[in-house]
Amino acid sequence: MHNVVIGAHGVAAEDVLAVARGGARVELSAEALTGIAAAREVVEALAAKPEPVYGVSTGFGALAVRHISPELRAQLQRSLVRSHAAGMGPRVEREVVRALMFLRLKTLASGRTGVRPVVAETMAALLNAGITPVVHEYGSLGCSGDLAPLSHCALVLMGEGEAEGPDGVVRPVPELLAEHGIEPVELREKEGLALINGTDGMLGMLVMAIDDLRRLFTAADVTAALSMEALLGTDKVLAPELHAIRPHPGQAASAENMRRVLAGSGLTGHHQDDAPRVQDAYSIRCAPQVAGAGRDTVAHAMTVADRELVSAVDNPVVLPDGRVESNGNFHGAPVAYVLDFLAIAAADLGSIAERRTDRLLDKSRSHGLPAFLADDPGVDSGLMIAQYTQAALVSENKRLAVPASVDSIPSSAMQEDHVSMGWSAARKLRQAVDNLARIIAVELMAASRGVELRVQGSEVLVAAPATQAVLKAAREAGVGGPGPDRFLSPDLAAAYDFVRGGGLVAAAESVTGPLA
């Protein structure tokens, strides 16, 4: 894994993923270190003046009215971090904490925070050593930044708190730092505040959710195509000219994906055979429109993420002309909104996938498939309860789609009287994304079984080459096909791994080439 170099002008989404998920090492550019040092000179000059400056020589939040004398300022920074490291609940995932730290380091490298170079260098050293602070589920309101999560990270920088080593074992922080030759940082003016006053946790989770959802939307196009085949639907609705007259780019991309997966299918187009129907149901016919709207939502979220990735989020900030100014850039509303939008898109994509699954299992609507795709309906239940599980996941995602960002609860004695709840939006989105992968996995099981039942013993009905590749790869991955009832949970787990790990899309692309 190559090193990720952090400059003074932000980072890319690929850098976040490389560090958070790939374990890439980080280094600070010479330009960044020069800018950090220059901003520090400004802060130190202000600290020497008698006039109070927020975050440098005053308290914080509702306590900002108190001027802090020079001999108490190191204690002020330590107290800030210790008191704000007040998270509760389960630990958040390692990749989230690494993203959180990396993105905070990105802002430190901007030369707008006023920390000393050693603070940024020590943060980089923690990442490179694989030392991951213990961060808890609850503690951020998404305004004044992800305060508690970032404080737990800053505490480890000071040589305190809790952390795990590269082996995943939680050990005493002084022992971990010493083992890797890292000296704890004695924080000075402004530095504690600079370490905790950012939207880095919610941004990191947004970047990772976008990465996951991009793959899952492609996977959903593949399973929708398989469902269309299994239900003998018509692929005429996927014609490019139909989508050109409603020019949403995501819709066109999903329709093209489905069209390519279905190329060469002998199953599509039989909707007028034994039980004529003028049009397919919405869950089949409108699959590109629903998935496409979600794709466009992901694209909008990436636009917001890209802006945040080149932002310097702190309060106060050191401006290029040397002024140190208070601001409200730490408010998480821009990130919180798109996190909530994505949860809505994930819920709706799962909802339409479940409707296709239900149609495949319903003898009265599946156009000749056996009830519940069972081997011997009545004796066997087939995929009846798999659809129950899918429905439960869909229902949970609908609850998770309720926006967090419409809520606000005042804090800090009404100084922080409107907050974004962006961290909460991010946490529920992570669950929604995982649920979506399971929902798609169930549709895969039903659609693949439906296709196999169609082609069994038929000389006319032949699945598309891409579908055949998917079926072969799925069976090799442990996703069982038609047959008498068996213990179904292992099949569902294998299908989830096949979808989440990229095997489904890779199998289709082995025939179609890269899909959007």
Side-chain angles (χ1 to χ4, degrees):
M1 177 66 70
H2 68 281
N3 285 8
V4 171
V5 178
I6 305 176
H9 306 290
V11 296
E14 293 75 18
D15 298 330
V16 179
L17 297 171
V19 173
R21 290 180 161 171
R25 293 178 60 82
V26 300
E27 61 180 83
L28 294 156
S29 72
E31 178 193 18
L33 289 169
T34 299
I36 294 170
R40 183 62 195 177
E41 290 179 3
V42 173
V43 168
E44 290 183 348
L46 287 172
K49 294 182 177 180
E51 297 83 9
V53 178
Y54 177 70
V56 176
S57 53
T58 71
F60 309 105
L63 301 177
V65 294
R66 178 176 172 183
H67 182 260
I68 307 298
S69 58
E71 67 273 12
L72 293 176
R73 290 175 188 170
Q75 180 182 334
L76 170 69
Q77 302 300 318
R78 286 195 303 271
S79 296
L80 173 72
V81 172
R82 287 169 177 168
S83 65
H84 284 49
M88 294 181 71
R91 290 175 57 187
V92 303
E93 303 83 358
R94 179 184 178 90
E95 67 177 14
V96 172
V97 180
R98 286 185 61 82
L100 174 77
M101 294 170 67
F102 176 71
L103 288 168
R104 196 68 217 141
L105 181 57
K106 174 266 298 182
T107 287
L108 299 183
S110 70
R112 297 285 169 260
T113 69
V115 302
R116 290 167 295 151
V118 68
V119 176
E121 290 167 333
T122 306
M123 181 76 83
L126 288 178
L127 284 165
N128 291 338
I131 296 172
T132 306
V134 172
V135 173
H136 298 280
E137 183 80 16
Y138 304 109
S140 173
L141 299 179
C143 198
S144 288
D146 292 318
L147 287 175
L150 282 163
S151 295
H152 282 274
C153 296
L155 204 59
V156 173
L157 206 68
M158 293 164 49
E160 303 177 18
E162 298 177 296
E164 68 175 37
D167 58 0
V169 177
V170 176
R171 294 162 55 196
V173 170
E175 179 182 311
L176 282 170
L177 298 187
E179 189 174 286
H180 293 276
I182 300 172
E183 288 289 330
V185 176
E186 179 73 26
L187 299 179
R188 297 182 186 171
E189 294 94 343
K190 177 67 171 63
E191 292 179 336
L193 190 61
L195 286 169
I196 69 174
N197 207 347
T199 53
D200 308 289
M202 63 182 88
L203 176 58
M205 287 185 275
L206 173 62
V207 170
M208 290 186 284
I210 289 170
D211 183 54
D212 291 338
L213 284 170
R214 282 173 167 167
R215 289 195 296 270
L216 289 177
F217 272 90
T218 304
D221 290 339
V222 176
T223 57
L226 266 63
S227 290
M228 179 179 279
E229 276 193 290
L231 291 168
L232 303 178
T234 176
D235 58 356
K236 289 183 178 180
V237 297
L238 305 175
E241 57 269 25
L242 292 175
H243 298 278
I245 61 176
R246 194 189 191 194
H248 293 289
Q251 175 180 322
S254 282
E256 178 65 11
N257 281 350
M258 290 181 66
R259 192 183 67 79
R260 289 170 63 189
V261 171
L262 292 169
S265 174
L267 291 170
T268 54
H270 291 273
H271 63 295
Q272 295 284 17
D273 291 355
D274 297 332
R277 56 193 191 276
V278 176
Q279 301 175 121
D280 291 314
Y282 286 6
S283 60
I284 302 298
R285 186 170 17 129
C286 302
Q289 284 77 7
V290 173
R295 284 175 171 271
D296 291 342
T297 301
V298 172
H300 170 62
M302 193 66 243
T303 297
V304 173
D306 283 339
R307 293 169 183 159
E308 290 286 310
L309 288 169
V310 296
S311 298
V313 178
D314 193 17
N315 179 49
V317 292
V318 181
L319 294 172
D321 61 6
R323 287 180 295 138
V324 176
E325 297 286 0
S326 293
N327 65 90
N329 284 340
F330 50 74
H331 201 288
V335 183
Y337 289 172
V338 291
L339 288 163
D340 280 335
F341 295 165
L342 291 178
I344 292 169
D348 201 36
L349 185 65
S351 179
I352 197 170
E354 184 275 331
R355 288 294 80 204
R356 290 191 292 263
T357 302
D358 181 68
R359 186 166 289 271
L360 285 161
L361 271 55
D362 185 351
K363 183 180 179 180
S364 67
R365 294 181 291 140
S366 66
H367 311 292
L369 291 171
F372 302 105
L373 303 177
D375 188 63
D376 184 4
V379 173
D380 294 313
S381 295
L383 298 182
M384 178 192 293
I385 308 304
Q387 186 267 332
Y388 281 38
T389 300
Q390 187 187 43
L393 291 162
V394 168
S395 185
E396 181 174 39
N397 270 9
K398 290 175 182 177
R399 294 191 296 273
L400 293 170
V402 175
S405 57
V406 299
D407 187 28
S408 177
I409 188 163
S411 55
S412 193
M414 290 296 287
Q415 175 72 9
E416 297 164 11
D417 57 355
H418 184 274
V419 296
S420 78
M421 304 307 296
W423 174 274
S424 299
R427 295 306 296 164
K428 69 185 182 64
L429 177 60
R430 283 180 69 83
Q431 184 61 58
V433 169
D434 198 54
N435 289 350
L436 177 60
R438 298 179 192 280
I439 292 164
I440 293 170
V442 177
E443 183 183 15
L444 168 66
M445 283 197 64
S448 61
R449 184 178 288 201
V451 168
E452 287 179 309
L453 289 169
R454 291 285 188 200
V455 302
Q456 279 180 357
S458 174
E459 296 180 0
V460 178
L461 300 177
V462 179
T467 298
Q468 294 179 41
V470 168
L471 296 180
K472 181 176 183 293
R475 302 302 170 244
E476 290 173 352
V479 184
D485 282 354
R486 58 186 178 272
F487 179 27
L488 203 53
S489 187
D491 284 66
L492 293 168
Y496 165 77
D497 291 340
F498 187 58
V499 170
R500 197 79 155 105
L504 169 62
V505 172
E509 289 181 333
S510 69
V511 174
T512 65
L515 296 170

